[in-house]
């Protein structure tokens, strides 16, 4: 499987504009010029991809959607985007180096690509597009205004946070099963002999989710972090055992 380790090789392969920087790349899609991979590939960096009025070739009767898609290192990109070349959009590419150096800016949303896209309303598309116009402006000035560019990246990530909270609340039924499955897994864990206290990663692995994604959904719907939910359950269980075994 082909692995793209830098922006330049990936952009050249897919038909995007050559990057101006090795750690942060911003640009607009030109769908008719984009080449579709015939085999799965991996990109060894982070991508935030915004596609506006995106319509699948395999679903011609379905209304087009606008959404943000996320790719992380080691996430396999399947061949073909199955997209009509009528959408517009933008992309932001981030090296692993810049993520590590500015981890506080990027929070947890970059690994959401393993689970779901972020679907945008028309008003949200306008907000994201406005931020991208400013990012492009400062990106083209290269290193002269890099801190300003990074600030706008932070604004984009903050918008993503707000929009995901709106998405979680719009269709709670889609996420309730995750909360229920987490609570059931916690109950099941303590119905068997245990050797250590469980952590969030343990339950994320059981549910086939990333720890960040599970934690964010649990926090949104219970108003407590996943770890707080685990601790609350342990305390409740301990109280029950003390009442059952007074001696």
């Amino acid at each position: 499987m082909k692995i793209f380790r830098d922006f330049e090789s990936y952009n050249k392969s897919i038909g995007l504009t050559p990057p101006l920087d090795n750690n942060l790349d911003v640009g607009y899609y030109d769908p008719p010029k984009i080449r579709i991979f015939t085999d799965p590939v991996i990109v060894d960096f982070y991508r935030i991809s915004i596609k506006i009025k995106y319509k699948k070739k395999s679903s011609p009767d379905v209304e087009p959607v606008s959404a943000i898609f996320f790719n992380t290192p080691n996430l396999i990109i399947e061949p073909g985007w199955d997209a009509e070349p009528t959408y517009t959009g933008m992309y932001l590419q981030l090296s692993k180096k810049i993520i590590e150096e500015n981890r506080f800016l990027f929070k947890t949303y970059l690994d959401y690509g393993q689970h779901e896209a972020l679907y945008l309303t028309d008003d949200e598309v306008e907000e994201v597009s406005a931020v991208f116009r400013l990012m492009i402006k400062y990106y083209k000035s290269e290193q002269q205004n890099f801190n300003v560019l990074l600030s706008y990246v932070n604004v984009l990530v903050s918008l993503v946070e707000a929009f995901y909270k709106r998405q979680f609340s719009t269709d709670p039924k889609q996420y309730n099963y995750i909360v229920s499955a987490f609570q059931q897994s916690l109950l099941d864990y303590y119905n068997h002999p245990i050797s250590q206290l469980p952590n969030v990663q343990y339950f994320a692995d059981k549910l086939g989710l990333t720890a960040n994604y599970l934690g964010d959904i649990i926090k949104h719907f219970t108003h407590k972090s996943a770890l707080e939910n685990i601790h609350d359950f342990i305390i409740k269980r301990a109280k029950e055992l003390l009442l059952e075994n007074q001696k």
Side-chain angles (χ1 to χ4, degrees), residues 113-174:
Q114 298 180 40
H115 307 298
E116 64 173 316
L118 171 59
Y119 293 96
L120 302 174
T121 66
D122 290 343
D123 287 343
E124 290 167 352
V125 168
E126 286 298 319
E127 286 190 67
V128 169
S129 299
V131 172
F132 255 89
R133 284 192 291 272
L134 291 166
M135 288 171 64
I136 289 289
K137 172 185 174 181
Y138 289 101
Y139 177 66
K140 289 183 176 178
S141 69
E142 299 184 22
Q143 296 294 334
Q144 297 176 31
N145 296 292
F146 190 80
N147 288 335
V148 177
L149 174 58
L150 203 57
S151 296
Y152 281 117
V153 172
N154 188 26
V155 171
L156 177 66
V157 173
S158 297
L159 286 175
V160 167
E161 177 181 16
F163 297 163
Y164 259 119
K165 287 180 178 178
R166 186 268 309 155
Q167 182 161 296
F168 289 160
S169 299
T170 301
D171 187 12
K173 289 182 180 179
Q174 180 180 342

Side-chain angles (χ1 to χ4, degrees), residues 7-98:
F7 306 153
E8 185 174 1
S9 62
Y10 180 77
N11 288 14
K12 183 178 180 180
S13 178
I14 201 172
L16 300 176
T17 304
L20 299 178
D21 187 88
N22 293 324
N23 289 307
L24 198 158
D25 182 32
V26 185
Y28 289 104
Y29 285 121
D30 186 358
K33 293 183 179 179
I34 290 178
R35 291 186 287 273
I36 305 301
F37 295 121
T38 56
D39 297 303
V41 299
I42 292 175
V43 293
D44 195 32
F45 46 87
Y46 296 84
R47 298 192 83 249
I48 298 177
S49 178
I50 295 91
K51 295 178 184 175
I52 301 168
K53 303 302 180 186
Y54 169 81
K55 190 178 182 68
K56 289 186 175 182
K57 293 179 181 178
S58 58
S59 307
D61 298 328
V62 177
E63 288 296 312
V65 299
S66 299
I68 301 180
F69 303 88
F70 302 87
N71 292 110
T72 53
N74 301 319
L75 182 65
I76 296 173
I77 301 175
E78 294 299 330
W81 283 0
D82 188 29
E84 296 285 359
T86 53
Y87 66 92
T88 58
M90 307 79 79
Y91 59 87
L92 167 64
Q93 302 184 139
L94 302 156
S95 70
K96 290 190 286 189
K97 177 176 179 288
I98 204 169

